[in-house]
Amino acid sequence: MEEPEQGFAAGRHTCRPGILPGPTRVSSPQDDTWNWCVYLGHTMVLQPSERHYGDWNHRRLGPWCSPTGSPAPLSCETGCGEGSWILVCRLLVPTQVSLLSMEEDIDTRKINNSFLRDHSYATEADIISTVEFNHTGELLATGDKGGRVVIFQREQESKNQVHRRGEYNVYSTFQSHEPEFDYLKSLEIEEKINKIRWLPQQNAAYFLLSTNDKTVKLWKVSERDKRPEGYNLKDEEGRLRDPATITTLRVPVLRPMDLMVEATPRRVFANAHTYHINSISVNSDYETYMSADDLRINLWNFEITNQSFNIVDIKPANMEELTEVITAAEFHPHHCNTFVYSSSKGTIRLCDMRASALCDRHTKFFEEPEDPSNRSFFSEIISSISDVKFSHSGRYIMTRDYLTVKVWDLNMENRPIETYQVHDYLRSKLCSLYENDCIFDKFECVWNGSDSVIMTGSYNNFFRMFDRNTKRDVTLEASRENSKPRAILKPRKVCVGGKRRKDEISVDSLDFSKKILHTAWHPSENIIAVAATNNLYIFQDKVN
Amino acid sequence: MMLSKGLKRKREEEEEGKEALAVDTWWLDPGHPAVAQAPPAVASSSLFDLSVLKLHHSLRQSEPDLRHLVLVVNTLRRIQASMAPTAALPPVPSPPTAPGIADNLLASSDAALSASMASLLEDLSHIEGLSQAPQPLVDEGPPGRPTGGAPPSLGALDLLGPATGCLLDDGLEGLFEDIDTSMYDSELWAPASEGHKSSPEDGPGKEEAPELDEAELDYLMDVLVGTQALERPPGPGR
């Protein structure tokens, strides 16, 4: 097999080398089974694969320009080195790749419902750290440890492709946060995206907040499909013309161009958090949002970046007295003055900003008394709440601690109304889980659109769903083996003791390095996104 | 006997530092029926060591995960509370729930280890732990020298690296007066303030535990060697 020529390709599939004028979608023509497409952001270039053919492979390449700088034309002749990721689907059938224009009538959208990164090149930077649908479910954003954000867009339905409705394609990729070095404290600030939250759409552009440990950024994602041509002072390549050579004037006209999706940082909210940001939440007034770290919660106005209001501060005067930290926070979906925050001691506080400027005194305090029969040295650790989410209705909150998911009624503070066991078979293994630090894993939880089903992740790439009405629950697995397109997920079962049935997996065979911490549920349909380390799986209800 | 088996296994467990889920640690799980009969002191001891190790590791991070730290410290407090009656003193029998076994445990341990544990617990109960990371204890395994009465007042901040450690000696707060040093102001990171508050006869900063020096020296040596390597080709060692 000959070496692939320099260019944008994997294996034997090359696209013609050339200049890419910025974010461009490179894709292969459709075929009946699997397909692949490659999205190139203005900072990334695909490295041709050297070893795997018939299968794709890619390498990490460096950015060609700063994420906030203007896209520079990319040329494969300038060479490829170590660098950033391209997001691709798994290729099974070799096809020719060519530069795709969005207007071309090639149906290249038959993309399987998972975006898998090749194992052999998986790096830690690709571990997905947050997943979030926007308010309509049209877009799905993921953030990873490398500070990148990838946005997927749902395909429009078409009459002749009904069975392929609703698949998600990569829409935009950008570098949201870079690693920083705090010289004063000799500390490196991780670029890992901790959370992404969308703003509701108010015009043609999309806005989202993304945050790492210290800095929140507001990003604008917009499309450009027209380009002005016919400038007087600039020539076609953008170079300035000598005014002396200009003899006539013309009016620039807008001409259609290949669709470009641009992401630009509109606001940077920095220097307000001493400790690590764990949550951000957009207020229902759409004018403010909050960011929470281990000890403080700040309220921001979207327009003002150099000032924030501190609304919760649990830092003790003497840090030796520190026994509790904030683990998650969220605004009420309808009441813009109300929010909740959870703690490492398993408590939830509901606060009303109208009561006082500094919400150190809660309006409500939710805590379940400890079950004496389950008491152990690890009681506190497993009671630490890793996620708190309001129901869409605003009547309930859901909390996730290490072994359970609990649903609380806002009107009842002394105990949850529902408790669901996620993986109770781990209760007897807590010491080992403490030893290998798994007991500190922070799982998230999500509601479905109608608040009737809740979902959360577990180990061994398992995730669990609980139907609140029927009280039924199911365990599913997100794995490569099960990830053929349109494959139906089979329920899984963990065998806790005694005879293990054929399809069951025993507790001791569970892989604790494969944890599903982040999941998302489409706001109105039964489509879920599940992040399994560095892979993203999108599942939807079987369509009959 | 059950106890001696337990002892042997516990050392194995920690030396290997297994990642995999070990079902055979049943004797540590309070939920297990067999353990319910065993005295808590047995479980606590190795769990205590493990927790101390975690605390040490957590504090060594350039920017510790506060949640992890707080949870480990609180767990350590719980364990300490369950051990305190026997371990706060050097092996003197005093009856908690199962005095005989606690005695055996301490008696059969390395004498130096138990003495260090005693002083360690004392440190913890006095200071409530965060700034007095007993890291020399954990670093060397059973330490040859007891930590003694004066805890290393340099403590946690030095673990952050020599850069900060060098500035520690005095006037740290003065250096950063106009800068938000809440990370340093907190007792977590700045035992210098702790040192100011506590008795000056401790000679804060002066009495450096040899292990701390070594860690600092190692780091400095690495930096120096790295720089030297850049500046001139490696020749015969000086």
Side-chain angles (χ1 to χ4, degrees):
Chain A
M1 182 64 65
E2 69 278 2
E3 278 294 324
E5 55 185 33
Q6 274 268 16
F8 310 94
R12 64 179 84 112
H13 318 291
T14 57
C15 70
R16 50 177 200 280
I19 310 281
L20 293 182
T24 304
R25 204 167 76 175
V26 175
S27 174
S28 67
Q30 63 94 19
D31 63 71
D32 206 27
T33 56
W34 294 62
N35 204 334
W36 70 301
C37 70
V38 173
Y39 287 88
L40 304 172
H42 65 275
T43 57
M44 301 173 216
V45 166
L46 174 62
Q47 173 94 7
S49 157
E50 286 174 2
R51 278 187 292 164
H52 293 96
Y53 298 90
D55 191 1
W56 58 266
N57 208 338
H58 51 272
R59 296 230 224 103
R60 214 169 174 242
L61 299 173
W64 288 101
C65 65
S66 80
T68 56
S70 51
L74 300 172
S75 167
C76 59
E77 281 92 84
T78 47
C80 312
E82 285 298 304
S84 342
W85 279 103
I86 315 293
L87 193 63
V88 295
C89 311
R90 194 167 188 88
L91 171 67
L92 282 189
V93 177
T95 45
Q96 192 62 35
V97 175
S98 56
L99 278 172
L100 173 78
S101 154
M102 286 297 280
E103 281 113 21
E104 273 181 85
D105 195 20
I106 302 172
D107 180 9
T108 60
R109 314 290 198 107
K110 286 188 186 177
I111 302 205
N112 61 308
N113 57 0
S114 55
F115 296 87
L116 306 177
R117 300 186 190 186
D118 194 307
H119 259 317
S120 51
Y121 280 80
T123 64
E124 207 179 291
D126 308 311
I127 294 175
I128 298 172
S129 49
T130 183
V131 187
E132 186 82 354
F133 280 99
N134 76 338
H135 292 258
T136 60
E138 181 204 353
L139 299 181
L140 174 67
T142 63
D144 66 22
K145 262 190 131 180
R148 279 174 310 260
V149 171
V150 180
I151 302 177
F152 299 83
Q153 185 187 44
R154 193 173 184 192
E155 270 192 57
Q156 298 308 311
E157 294 184 26
S158 64
K159 282 191 278 285
N160 49 345
Q161 297 284 347
V162 174
H163 66 290
R164 293 218 180 265
R165 74 162 176 100
E167 298 200 349
Y168 283 82
N169 306 324
V170 178
Y171 178 66
S172 172
T173 314
F174 57 93
Q175 186 78 30
S176 171
H177 286 72
E178 297 271 18
E180 285 169 50
F181 192 76
D182 183 336
Y183 293 94
L184 213 53
K185 297 174 186 169
S186 280
L187 297 172
E188 191 172 287
I189 300 170
E190 255 192 74
E191 67 273 30
K192 172 170 77 96
I193 308 295
N194 292 336
K195 283 286 178 342
I196 289 174
R197 290 287 182 263
W198 290 93
L199 269 68
Q201 200 176 359
Q202 288 168 320
N203 52 37
Y206 304 100
F207 287 88
L208 61 80
L209 286 175
S210 71
T211 185
N212 67 350
D213 283 338
K214 300 286 186 177
T215 304
V216 185
K217 292 187 185 179
L218 176 68
W219 286 88
K220 175 181 173 183
V221 181
S222 51
E223 295 181 4
R224 196 195 296 197
D225 60 356
K226 296 187 193 23
R227 169 178 66 200
E229 274 180 24
Y231 282 105
N232 292 295
L233 296 176
K234 288 191 287 190
D235 67 15
E236 293 308 312
E237 275 86 55
R239 291 185 297 242
L240 286 176
R241 291 165 74 180
D242 178 2
T245 65
I246 299 171
T247 51
T248 59
L249 281 181
R250 57 185 172 167
V251 177
V253 291
L254 289 174
R255 296 213 186 282
M257 58 178 262
D258 292 347
L259 182 73
M260 229 169 74
V261 182
E262 297 180 307
T264 45
R266 303 296 295 175
R267 304 271 188 278
V268 177
F269 304 93
N271 302 321
H273 286 281
T274 310
Y275 306 101
H276 293 175
I277 297 175
N278 52 54
S279 311
I280 46 175
S281 179
V282 179
N283 205 347
S284 49
D285 64 8
Y286 304 147
E287 287 179 3
T288 55
Y289 76 94
M290 70 164 154
S291 54
D293 66 30
D294 294 317
L295 298 179
R296 298 193 178 101
I297 302 181
N298 293 331
L299 182 72
W300 301 85
N301 182 302
F302 280 110
E303 300 303 319
I304 302 169
T305 59
N306 59 358
Q307 202 181 17
S308 69
F309 292 97
N310 177 242
I311 52 176
V312 172
D313 188 340
I314 65 167
K315 184 183 173 196
N318 191 350
M319 277 297 267
E320 284 176 353
E321 292 159 9
L322 181 68
T323 57
E324 194 174 11
V325 297
I326 297 170
T327 53
E330 197 182 47
F331 268 117
H332 191 283
H334 311 308
H335 302 141
C336 58
N337 50 284
T338 304
F339 65 93
V340 293
Y341 69 92
S342 59
S343 82
S344 56
K345 284 198 168 172
T347 66
I348 308 106
R349 289 171 177 80
L350 184 136
C351 300
D352 187 331
M353 293 194 290
R354 293 170 301 191
S356 70
L358 185 61
C359 296
D360 275 353
R361 298 158 65 89
H362 48 262
T363 305
K364 292 193 192 222
F365 181 78
F366 299 84
E367 186 179 28
E368 184 175 26
E370 192 181 4
D371 177 2
S373 65
N374 272 336
R375 198 157 201 273
S376 76
F377 291 113
F378 310 110
S379 293
E380 183 177 321
I381 300 181
I382 63 168
S383 75
S384 172
I385 292 174
S386 50
D387 195 16
V388 65
K389 292 266 169 54
F390 272 101
S391 64
H392 291 91
S393 62
R395 289 180 50 200
Y396 306 104
I397 47 177
M398 168 168 55
T399 59
R400 176 69 155 96
D401 51 60
Y402 190 63
L403 297 177
T404 71
V405 182
K406 296 183 171 137
V407 177
W408 306 73
D409 187 315
L410 284 189
N411 298 317
M412 185 156 69
E413 299 171 51
N414 58 348
R415 59 179 176 82
I417 56 169
E418 296 155 29
T419 300
Y420 300 95
Q421 302 294 333
V422 182
H423 37 218
D424 200 53
Y425 44 79
L426 298 183
R427 198 177 287 273
S428 55
K429 317 281 182 206
L430 291 180
C431 197
S432 303
L433 294 164
Y434 178 66
E435 197 174 350
N436 63 17
D437 269 346
C438 280
I439 207 176
F440 298 101
D441 286 336
K442 292 188 286 184
F443 293 93
E444 293 171 9
C445 53
V446 289
W447 298 88
N448 76 336
S450 58
D451 297 336
S452 59
V453 183
I454 57 184
M455 174 169 69
T456 188
S458 178
Y459 294 105
N460 208 70
N461 280 347
F462 287 169
F463 58 101
R464 302 261 283 141
M465 287 188 198
F466 302 93
D467 189 318
R468 296 178 62 214
N469 300 325
T470 65
K471 300 302 178 197
R472 285 199 329 223
D473 63 84
V474 68
T475 305
L476 301 169
E477 183 179 357
S479 75
R480 276 170 187 268
E481 290 73 44
N482 302 343
S483 65
K484 292 198 175 27
R486 306 287 146 188
I488 295 175
L489 286 179
K490 212 175 50 163
R492 304 303 309 267
K493 195 144 171 16
V494 176
C495 163
V496 286
K499 240 168 133 29
R500 185 176 75 87
R501 291 204 193 93
K502 208 168 66 126
D503 273 345
E504 293 181 353
I505 178 167
S506 82
V507 182
D508 303 313
S509 313
L510 294 174
D511 188 341
F512 287 83
S513 67
K514 294 186 182 163
K515 43 195 101 176
I516 292 184
L517 304 172
H518 314 287
T519 61
W521 203 308
H522 189 286
S524 51
E525 296 185 37
N526 282 343
I527 302 174
I528 57 174
V530 176
T533 318
N534 55 340
N535 293 320
L536 179 72
Y537 295 82
I538 301 173
F539 302 108
Q540 57 192 53
D541 234 2
K542 195 172 54 155
V543 178
N544 293 322
Chain B
M1 286 281 306
M2 187 193 294
L3 176 60
S4 48
K5 267 193 204 156
L7 264 179
K8 205 155 74 159
R9 287 176 111 186
K10 120 186 127 216
R11 287 200 204 282
E12 245 175 13
E13 286 284 327
E14 271 159 41
E15 273 155 24
E16 287 168 284
K18 279 191 234 155
E19 291 265 333
L21 198 50
V23 185
D24 55 353
T25 54
W26 59 267
W27 42 270
L28 285 180
D29 296 325
H32 196 282
V35 177
Q37 296 144 21
V42 178
S44 307
S45 170
S46 71
L47 202 54
F48 178 87
D49 290 342
L50 176 62
S51 300
V52 165
L53 192 67
K54 283 190 180 302
L55 176 63
H56 160 65
H57 182 74
S58 195
L59 284 169
R60 280 205 94 126
Q61 307 300 312
S62 53
E63 204 169 3
D65 178 353
L66 211 56
R67 171 184 166 262
H68 187 271
L69 195 58
V70 161
L71 289 174
V72 168
V73 166
N74 290 350
T75 305
L76 203 46
R77 283 198 186 115
R78 282 194 187 210
I79 297 166
Q80 179 200 344
S82 74
M83 292 171 73
T86 55
L89 319 161
V92 167
S94 66
T97 51
I101 296 175
D103 272 343
N104 285 343
L105 173 66
L106 290 172
S108 55
S109 311
D110 183 9
L113 172 61
S114 58
S116 311
M117 278 168 56
S119 65
L120 168 63
L121 287 164
E122 214 174 89
D123 295 346
L124 276 181
S125 57
H126 285 163
I127 312 293
E128 296 212 325
L130 293 179
S131 54
Q132 301 288 337
Q135 44 84 18
L137 184 74
V138 182
D139 251 341
E140 324 277 286
R145 49 142 215 108
T147 47
S153 49
L154 302 155
L157 188 51
D158 279 312
L159 298 175
L160 298 181
T164 49
C166 299
L167 298 170
L168 231 197
D169 291 332
D170 41 49
L172 172 70
E173 279 155 13
L175 276 173
F176 297 111
E177 244 159 24
D178 56 336
I179 296 160
D180 172 28
T181 55
S182 44
M183 286 284 277
Y184 291 137
D185 287 343
S186 79
E187 245 55 43
L188 271 173
W189 327 129
S193 54
E194 175 71 31
H196 293 322
K197 277 197 323 219
S198 61
S199 50
E201 86 259 357
D202 272 350
K206 301 303 173 225
E207 188 190 318
E208 296 198 17
E211 289 79 5
L212 291 172
D213 254 348
E214 270 175 32
E216 231 174 282
L217 266 175
D218 280 345
Y219 182 94
L220 282 170
M221 284 309 296
D222 285 343
V223 170
L224 281 171
V225 167
T227 336
Q228 298 273 345
L230 285 173
E231 284 170 0
R232 59 161 191 261
R238 227 174 246 211

